[in-house]
Amino acid sequence: MNTDSDSELSSIISSDDELIKKSEGTIMMGFQPADKYEYTYSGSEMNVPLYVGTMDNSENIEVAAMLFLNGEVQPYSYTLNGKVSEKQMVHYFTLGPNETINFTALVTPISGEKGDVIGMQFATVFKSDYLPEQDGNTSFGNCGKINSTICIPVNMQASGINETKADIVKTTITDIPEETMAMLEGLVTNDTDNPLDYSSYLKIKTEDNRNCLYSENGKLNLTLQIYGGKEVAKKITFFINNEPVKVDNCDYCEINTTTDKMTVFDVCIDVSEYKELCSFYAVAATSGEDYLIQDDTTQSERCLLINK
């Protein structure tokens, strides 16, 4: 559910009333009730019943819906009212006030080998069509925020398609800056607890610490930082206007996190074919059986990409 509005809006509550209004509403989403939340892939398409709904919204809301399987964005089609959609990475639903849609995703895993047990998550992006103006308040509020379910297991009795490609980036392991640790410690009430045990964080390093990114000659060069949580394998996917994009001709970056340390890496993304203003964010999802250790799907800040 989209429940983080208080913290998200605190920094903008006095500066942009229209964004406050745009950020209102609640998304309910997940796997439809079942006796057992577990799937087996034996070579035939899996049927995965899902739902997405709204509460507390006074106007229509566009919601982007996607699946992560083995840490990767999983293309799927779906059945709704007897009709089958096209297969896509991301599907979009326009929901009226207090409306819920039940649909069934048709899934053929693109990742995973026979004998593996991998995690599958359903995720939605709240008000995915929102885009701030370059000359105004460039905060997204709660718009563009991703919410995901916990991982449920998929037993691979057959191998997936396995045609996606990983970018094995060069990483640097550093200490977490003192100011970052001080901020995290302020979120934990028990002084004996390690704040890094509770959540992982994915940050895009920007020169002015604002949520604006600027391309140069059609290229977007980024430095990313990931820290917190356990030592797990992560696949990081980049999204422009809520659609996954290639990085160095690969589908995602693959890294391993280190407990109590910050992992830093650089990427370059070709944005020459995109419009001047776009939304941009990255998502880190746990891959392999590491989802049993830590199954959170972590989104970076939502940024306004200014592409010139």
Side-chain angles (χ1 to χ4, degrees):
M1 298 177 67
N2 180 47
T3 57
D4 295 332
S5 58
D6 289 344
S7 61
E8 288 284 340
L9 297 179
S10 61
S11 63
I12 59 171
I13 196 165
S14 61
S15 61
D16 197 325
D17 291 341
E18 180 63 21
L19 183 55
I20 300 297
K21 180 180 178 181
K22 288 290 184 182
S23 295
E24 291 176 345
T26 301
I27 293 296
M28 304 176 297
M29 41 73 71
F31 298 94
Q32 292 183 35
D35 294 333
K36 189 176 183 181
Y37 293 99
E38 183 176 353
Y39 287 87
T40 297
Y41 177 65
S42 56
S44 300
E45 198 170 56
M46 298 187 300
N47 294 341
V48 182
L50 303 166
Y51 74 92
V52 60
T54 56
M55 288 178 58
D56 309 321
N57 56 305
S58 58
E59 59 183 30
N60 290 349
I61 292 177
E62 182 186 274
V63 177
M66 61 188 80
L67 285 168
F68 287 87
L69 186 67
N70 197 25
E72 300 179 37
V73 185
Q74 168 69 51
Y76 67 97
S77 58
Y78 66 85
T79 59
L80 178 63
N81 298 326
K83 297 181 179 179
V84 180
S85 74
E86 294 183 2
K87 180 177 286 189
Q88 298 175 181
M89 291 284 199
V90 184
H91 292 275
Y92 298 87
F93 297 95
T94 300
L95 303 174
N98 302 313
E99 180 182 5
T100 297
I101 293 178
N102 295 297
F103 62 100
T104 299
L106 308 176
V107 181
T108 299
I110 58 169
S111 183
E113 300 289 346
K114 182 178 180 180
D116 289 348
V117 179
I118 56 180
M120 177 169 58
Q121 291 176 291
F122 179 47
T124 58
V125 178
F126 177 73
K127 290 194 175 180
S128 54
D129 56 344
Y130 178 78
L131 196 66
E133 296 181 1
Q134 177 180 352
D135 298 328
N137 180 1
T138 57
S139 174
F140 282 75
N142 277 330
C143 302
K145 184 178 179 64
I146 196 169
N147 290 278
S148 62
T149 65
I150 63 172
C151 277
I152 63 172
V154 176
N155 297 290
M156 300 292 291
Q157 293 183 356
S159 293
I161 297 173
N162 291 315
E163 293 179 349
T164 54
K165 184 179 179 182
D167 184 14
I168 310 299
V169 294
K170 180 181 179 180
T171 61
T172 302
I173 308 302
T174 69
D175 291 331
I176 300 173
E178 291 183 4
E179 57 269 24
T180 299
M181 286 301 302
M183 179 190 67
L184 296 177
E185 288 167 356
L187 303 176
V188 179
T189 56
N190 188 337
D191 291 339
T192 63
D193 288 341
N194 182 351
L196 296 175
D197 289 342
Y198 294 91
S199 299
S200 61
Y201 302 88
L202 177 64
K203 301 293 183 182
I204 298 173
K205 188 176 180 181
T206 57
E207 293 183 2
D208 54 9
N209 291 321
R210 296 178 66 237
N211 64 321
C212 288
L213 300 172
Y214 303 89
S215 64
E216 185 175 350
N217 298 322
K219 303 292 184 181
L220 180 62
N221 294 290
L222 298 175
T223 298
L224 290 100
Q225 305 166 331
I226 187 168
Y227 55 93
K230 309 299 182 182
E231 294 191 1
V232 294
K234 289 283 190 180
K235 294 178 179 178
I236 299 172
T237 306
F238 299 88
F239 293 82
I240 295 180
N241 296 335
N242 304 295
E243 296 286 340
V245 297
K246 298 282 188 179
V247 51
D248 196 22
N249 294 317
C250 296
D251 299 283
Y252 56 87
C253 294
E254 193 166 34
I255 66 168
N256 290 286
T257 59
T258 301
T259 301
D260 294 332
K261 295 289 185 179
M262 177 179 284
T263 302
V264 183
F265 60 98
D266 297 327
V267 298
C268 180
I269 300 173
D270 186 345
V271 296
S272 58
E273 299 300 319
Y274 290 92
K275 294 181 180 179
E276 180 180 350
L277 297 181
C278 302
S279 65
F280 183 93
Y281 54 84
V283 174
T286 308
S287 64
E289 293 192 25
D290 281 356
Y291 81 90
L292 295 169
I293 303 171
Q294 177 182 309
D295 72 350
D296 61 337
T297 294
T298 305
Q299 183 185 32
S300 72
E301 54 270 76
R302 281 90 68 205
C303 294
L304 182 65
L305 169 59
I306 301 173
N307 189 28
K308 293 183 178 180

